[in-house]
Amino acid sequence: MVNVPERDKREIIARAPFVDEMVGEMVAHLLHGNAHIDLEIKPIETDMYAKVGLNLKEVRRTALELLRMAEVAQQATWTPRLLANVRERYLPGATDAQIIEQLRRLAERDDGLELLESGLLFPQDGYALTADAHRELVDRIAAALSAAGVTLGELETVVGDLRKVHRADVENAS
């Protein structure tokens, strides 16, 4: 006697790669009103294979725990050497707390932050930190000028006056 497997009656709701399509796949199913997510890990060119089925509560708990672990692991890369390097190359004068906050924002915006090597940012990430710091400074200045009611014409006059004073100081120093 031959047993024929029963046809899968689950409705597929969504599919997504797990890490990437070369590693595995996640599939969300719906059966009799209940949602379920299967995680299949089968790295290409290996005999390894794992399949895990999770209900929605388990998926949410796992996702939160993965995020928590990612935060802890990311922060562990923010060593004194990295902070010193960032201060020296990209954010001169910044405190450790300010650098950490900038790194946290960058990692959050870019879904994580990889290092060139231990204690060294990729240059493009360092330049992004510098650009963000400059943007924040410009925003603070613009807010202060706006709050003070300074118009663009008045600002141009002030800048012109500052240039005259600076020029006079340079000439007097000579």
Side-chain angles (χ1 to χ4, degrees):
M1 177 176 211
V2 176
N3 288 334
V4 177
E6 193 175 311
R7 188 169 122 326
D8 191 348
K9 297 177 185 174
R10 300 177 295 180
E11 174 188 348
I12 294 177
I13 304 166
R15 286 181 185 274
F18 179 74
V19 181
D20 74 35
E21 60 273 352
M22 305 296 271
V23 175
E25 181 180 45
M26 299 178 290
V27 180
H29 298 277
L30 191 61
L31 180 63
H32 306 299
N34 286 323
H36 195 265
I37 297 177
D38 291 334
L39 172 61
E40 185 175 300
I41 303 169
K42 187 176 184 188
I44 197 162
E45 298 180 9
T46 69
D47 293 333
M48 297 186 300
Y49 179 89
K51 189 170 184 174
V52 178
L54 303 166
N55 65 38
L56 297 181
K57 276 187 174 184
E58 293 166 333
V59 169
R60 289 180 187 276
R61 272 191 237 123
T62 302
L64 288 172
E65 190 60 25
L66 282 170
L67 283 172
R68 187 192 68 75
M69 289 182 72
E71 289 296 319
V72 168
Q74 183 73 80
Q75 289 174 13
T77 66
W78 300 340
T79 62
R81 178 179 175 215
L82 176 67
L83 298 178
N85 179 263
V86 168
R87 184 177 299 105
E88 179 184 323
R89 295 191 65 189
Y90 307 109
L91 299 174
T95 66
D96 284 355
Q98 291 168 327
I99 293 170
I100 288 169
E101 178 59 22
Q102 292 284 4
L103 288 169
R104 187 194 61 73
R105 285 187 204 155
L106 183 62
E108 195 172 280
R109 184 182 72 217
D110 292 351
D111 295 327
L113 194 59
E114 295 289 324
L115 300 180
L116 180 61
E117 62 181 70
S118 178
L120 294 177
L121 285 179
F122 277 98
Q124 63 268 27
D125 291 329
Y127 299 138
L129 288 176
T130 302
D132 289 345
H134 289 166
R135 190 172 19 261
E136 287 175 12
L137 179 59
V138 168
D139 289 346
R140 285 198 315 265
I141 292 169
L145 290 172
S146 178
V150 175
T151 67
L152 187 56
E154 293 168 334
L155 181 60
E156 288 174 356
T157 302
V158 170
V159 169
D161 291 345
L162 287 173
R163 284 188 177 132
K164 287 177 190 174
V165 169
H166 176 69
R167 213 173 300 125
D169 286 347
V170 170
E171 288 172 2
N172 289 336
S174 299

